[in-house]
Amino acid sequence: MKNTDIHEIYLAGGCFWGVEAYMKRNVYGVIETSVGYANGKTDNTSYQEIPYTDHAETVHIKYDISRISLPNLLKRYFSIINPVSINKQGNDKGRQYRTGIYYTCESDREVILSEISDLQKNYDEKIQIEVELLKNYILAEEYHQNYLEKNPNGYCHIDLNS
């Protein structure tokens, strides 16, 4: 695996515990994840502060493009979220649980928009996934990292066996 094969994307899909666990367990080509808070109004925040700083619970994903393409990774992401829901996934409600795709490479933007356009064909309601350049990402507290590995019976709105 060459360093040029490693790409990154930031995905917000409700509670980050489930998104992280799903990506790590179920998506071939995902090589590293972390959970944190993205695209808020400040460069610092914490779990207690995110309702006030407007960050989204987000998973930073590093993936090997020789194993999975960005379109295929996004299709897997779409399969675990409700893309027409606003500020709600599963039982979690609030703007910190919004859906979003935050990119660092401008060329990813067109790929993301194309995939969302294809996804929209399956829905009458408007897709509500934010698509933005990553403005900021603050690593979440250690107890949130790999939470469902540490707490196998923890809450998760995603079917991790799908």
Side-chain angles (χ1 to χ4, degrees), residues 10-16 35-59 87 93-100 102 130 132 134-141:
Y10 294 77
L11 302 176
C15 175
F16 50 27
V35 297
Y37 314 112
N39 279 31
K41 297 175 185 170
T42 62
D43 288 332
N44 289 301
T45 195
S46 68
Y47 185 69
Q48 289 73 27
E49 295 173 305
I50 58 174
Y52 311 105
T53 60
D54 200 38
H55 289 81
E57 287 196 15
T58 302
V59 181
N87 301 333
K93 296 178 182 153
R95 203 158 138 71
Q96 69 266 33
Y97 301 114
R98 67 190 180 270
T99 55
Y102 309 116
E130 279 185 341
E132 296 178 354
L134 182 73
K135 291 184 264 191
N136 51 39
Y137 177 76
I138 297 97
L139 198 62
E141 297 79 0

Side-chain angles (χ1 to χ4, degrees), residues 14 19-20 28-29 35 45 72-76 79 92 96 109 112 116 133 136-137 141 147 150 157 161-162:
V19 176
E20 179 185 46
Y28 177 75
V35 297
T45 195
N72 286 334
L73 181 63
L74 293 175
K75 284 175 178 64
R76 299 298 295 270
S79 76
D92 298 309
Q96 69 266 33
R109 183 175 182 274
I112 295 163
I116 288 177
L133 183 66
N136 51 39
Y137 177 76
E141 297 79 0
Y147 183 86
K150 298 173 196 169
H157 69 285
N161 297 315
S162 66

Side-chain angles (χ1 to χ4, degrees), residues 9-14 74-89 95 97-103 112-113 115-120 123 125-132:
I9 196 79
Y10 294 77
L11 302 176
L74 293 175
K75 284 175 178 64
R76 299 298 295 270
Y77 163 70
F78 296 153
S79 76
I80 60 170
I81 64 165
N82 178 345
V84 297
S85 179
I86 300 172
N87 301 333
K88 179 183 183 305
Q89 292 291 310
R95 203 158 138 71
Y97 301 114
R98 67 190 180 270
T99 55
I101 303 170
Y102 309 116
Y103 56 91
I112 295 163
L113 293 176
E115 290 301 315
I116 288 177
S117 178
D118 285 348
L119 180 66
Q120 183 65 67
Y123 292 89
E125 300 161 273
K126 183 180 182 325
I127 298 297
Q128 298 295 327
I129 302 168
E130 279 185 341
V131 176
E132 296 178 354

Side-chain angles (χ1 to χ4, degrees), residues 16-26 148-149 156 160:
F16 50 27
W17 297 342
V19 176
E20 179 185 46
Y22 177 84
M23 290 294 169
K24 284 184 85 164
R25 294 179 191 180
N26 298 2
L148 291 174
E149 282 180 26
C156 183
L160 297 176

